[in-house]
């Protein structure tokens, strides 16, 4: 299934009292628990605000340069996000609406590009030794649809949790 990023910029939150923010904890955490119960939760969290550490890594020189501070000076910055693994855009939008309502401020939702599945030479995921499959090495599936939905290429649909970075 495709994965989606539901996120907000800190500037979209608005100015509110501490009491108001405390009142958002229960509804926002309830949405996270609902995502977990539905089996769509991958990760969710808020980032430290302006006074938190920010580092940049720039690999465009001879060596990768890591410096303090953002790569680009900007007035907006990411405030938090959730990753969900859902069937389609409609379900992603439904979860984005729930997250936004739980938090109390606007969110955007974007789909991740499908990742090609790379397999070792002669190994096909889900196929036992000696079985015949149409893929012997390289990337499984021949189309973007196959990368997004392995079942469309005759491959088993697996629920795979990938690291964030």
């Amino acid at each position: 299934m495709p994965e989606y990023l539901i996120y907000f910029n800190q500037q979209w939150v608005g100015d509110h009292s501490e009491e108001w923010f405390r009142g958002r904890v229960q509804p926002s955490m309830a949405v996270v628990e609902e995502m977990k119960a539905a089996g769509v939760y991958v990760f969710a969290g808020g980032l430290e605000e302006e006074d938190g550490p920010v580092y940049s890594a720039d690999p465009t020189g001879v060596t990768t340069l890591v410096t303090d501070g953002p790569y680009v000076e900007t007035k907006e910055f990411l405030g938090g996000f959730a990753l969900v693994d859902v069937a389609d855009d409609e379900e992603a939008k439904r979860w984005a609406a729930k997250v936004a309502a739980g938090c109390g401020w606007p969110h955007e939702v974007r789909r991740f590009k499908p990742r090609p599945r790379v397999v070792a030479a002669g190994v096909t995921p889900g196929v036992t030794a000696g079985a015949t499959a149409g893929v012997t090495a390289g990337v499984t599936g021949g189309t973007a649809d196959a990368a997004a939905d392995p079942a469309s290429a005759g491959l088993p649909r697996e629920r795979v949790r990938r690291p964030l970075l």
Side-chain angles (χ1 to χ4, degrees):
M1 286 195 290
E3 292 174 319
Y4 292 81
L5 176 68
I6 302 169
Y7 67 95
F8 67 94
N9 282 350
Q10 189 63 42
Q11 292 67 27
W12 304 346
V13 173
D15 294 325
H16 303 286
S17 68
E18 284 299 316
E19 182 180 341
W20 186 89
F21 282 109
R22 282 192 297 274
R24 303 313 314 157
V25 172
Q26 190 283 327
S28 62
M29 294 309 296
V31 174
V32 170
E33 292 306 316
E34 186 180 353
M35 287 190 294
K36 289 178 180 179
V40 302
Y41 177 88
V42 177
F43 178 84
L47 300 174
E48 292 188 15
E49 295 184 27
E50 294 109 17
D51 55 347
V54 176
Y55 307 100
S56 301
D58 181 358
T60 59
V62 175
T63 62
T64 300
L65 178 63
V66 178
T67 58
D68 291 343
Y71 180 67
V72 179
E73 289 299 323
T74 180
K75 296 191 184 305
E76 289 195 350
F77 57 92
L78 187 64
F81 62 94
L83 296 175
V84 293
D85 189 359
V86 297
D88 54 35
D89 290 355
E90 293 306 310
E91 191 175 354
K93 290 189 289 185
R94 186 173 64 81
W95 283 108
K98 288 182 178 213
V99 170
C103 290
W105 52 79
H107 282 66
E108 288 185 356
V109 60
R110 297 188 65 171
R111 181 178 31 188
F112 282 94
K113 292 179 181 180
R115 296 184 197 183
R117 292 181 57 189
V118 178
V119 296
V123 177
T124 302
V127 177
T128 58
T132 304
V135 179
T136 58
V139 177
T140 63
T143 66
D145 290 339
D149 182 8
S152 71
L155 299 171
R157 175 173 256 150
E158 299 174 10
R159 192 161 179 94
V160 177
R161 293 287 176 232
R162 299 184 246 331
L164 295 177
L165 294 175

